[in-house]
Amino acid sequence: MKFFVDTANLDEIKEAASWGALAGVTTNPTLYARIGGKLSDFHHHIQRICELVAGPVSAESTASDRDGIIREGRELAKLASNVVVKVPTTIEGLAATRTLANEGIPVNMTLCFTVPQAILAARSGARYVSPFVGRFDDISEHGVAQLEDIVTALGNYDLSESGCLRADGKREHIEVIAASLRSAAHVAQAALLGADIATVPFAVLKKCVEHPLTTAGLEAFNKDWEKVKNA
Ligand code: E4P
């Protein structure tokens, strides 16, 4: 499983990238609003993120009709070669995704909750699909079970004819991004059930590294090493 960081905060992205294991970034309008982002700076901000990471950077279209999503998608794709256009899993989103995918513009279909939505995203040419785990938990549903069903269902089919067009004329296979992850336990479950990617908020990413037994073990080693140095 690859790790993406789910944030628009440049300091968090820089820090996460410095750890050496970061494969990409996902953003959304809420995450951009959270850092005080302005509309006039949005494109420039996405370009700055794209300079910090070599991997895919998802930037969301905010249009609701297919023509608007296609127009915004084309503009976003021009910002950097690693931009992925984030498109909601709606009828208009599916139609726009097919057009963008046929132009070789990778799409991350977001706000996906069910197996039929995920299969339709794959059939419309999405490069990635993002099932949301935590938001299901928020309404007392089992988000991890839904994610597992989506991974299983997509694995049942050869989707190689449907995906985003590549420069060599072949089509990319869709990858599942486990999204809306709220804990290291969510991340572990996503890995165990075979999600291709986990997109993780920075605070949760830190929790994926830190463990009380690691901290306690390190403290004990350091203490004992002091004894060795003083012996
Ligand atoms: C995914 O790409 C989304 O940006 C994100 O995971 C949403 O998570 P939330 O439900 O915590 O807002």
Side-chain angles (χ1 to χ4, degrees):
M1 188 174 74
K2 287 172 274 190
F3 279 89
F4 288 4
V5 67
D6 193 30
T7 182
N9 182 308
L10 295 178
D11 291 334
E12 290 182 350
I13 293 166
K14 256 183 244 166
E15 175 62 20
S18 77
W19 300 352
L22 189 70
V25 177
T26 51
T27 67
N28 65 36
T30 302
L31 295 170
Y32 188 57
R34 197 173 287 163
I35 59 155
K38 293 188 175 59
L39 184 58
S40 57
D41 192 42
F42 178 60
H43 282 183
H44 189 217
H45 191 79
I46 294 297
Q47 280 172 323
R48 280 187 289 230
I49 296 176
C50 289
E51 283 162 15
L52 293 176
V53 286
V57 172
S58 289
E60 193 149 343
S61 162
T62 52
S64 50
D65 64 293
R66 65 190 73 183
D67 292 340
I69 297 171
I70 292 165
R71 195 168 46 247
E72 279 188 12
R74 287 174 181 153
E75 279 169 19
L76 290 168
K78 279 189 207 140
L79 297 176
S81 59
N82 51 338
V83 164
V84 172
V85 181
K86 224 171 172 189
V87 173
T89 312
T90 60
I91 290 170
E92 295 303 297
L94 289 172
T97 296
R98 173 43 65 207
T99 299
L100 293 170
N102 286 349
E103 293 176 11
I105 296 175
V107 168
N108 172 3
M109 288 220 89
T110 189
L111 291 167
C112 173
F113 291 91
T114 68
V115 168
Q117 283 181 315
I119 295 174
L120 286 165
R123 291 296 182 196
S124 75
R127 176 68 185 82
Y128 304 96
V129 64
S130 293
F132 277 35
V133 172
R135 292 196 194 186
F136 253 132
D137 293 1
D138 292 345
I139 58 159
S140 305
E141 299 272 343
H142 194 184
V144 168
Q146 296 289 346
L147 172 66
E148 184 164 29
D149 285 351
I150 287 170
V151 169
T152 303
L154 291 179
N156 286 343
Y157 302 102
D158 176 9
L159 299 161
S160 50
E161 295 304 309
S162 309
C164 183
L165 192 63
R166 295 192 328 208
D168 63 4
K170 296 198 171 126
R171 300 242 171 204
E172 296 276 9
H173 198 275
I174 192 166
E175 288 184 283
V176 175
I177 304 179
S180 187
L181 301 177
R182 306 271 165 80
S183 64
H186 270 164
V187 176
Q189 286 163 319
L192 287 169
L193 62 81
D196 301 293
I197 297 154
T199 190
V200 188
F202 183 72
V204 176
L205 198 57
K206 273 181 91 176
K207 286 197 173 137
C208 288
V209 183
E210 294 163 351
H211 192 278
L213 291 176
T214 305
T215 308
L218 196 55
E219 273 168 16
F221 286 157
N222 287 340
K223 218 169 137 194
D224 288 337
W225 197 241
E226 284 305 312
K227 287 183 203 160
V228 171
K229 286 201 292 191
N230 295 325

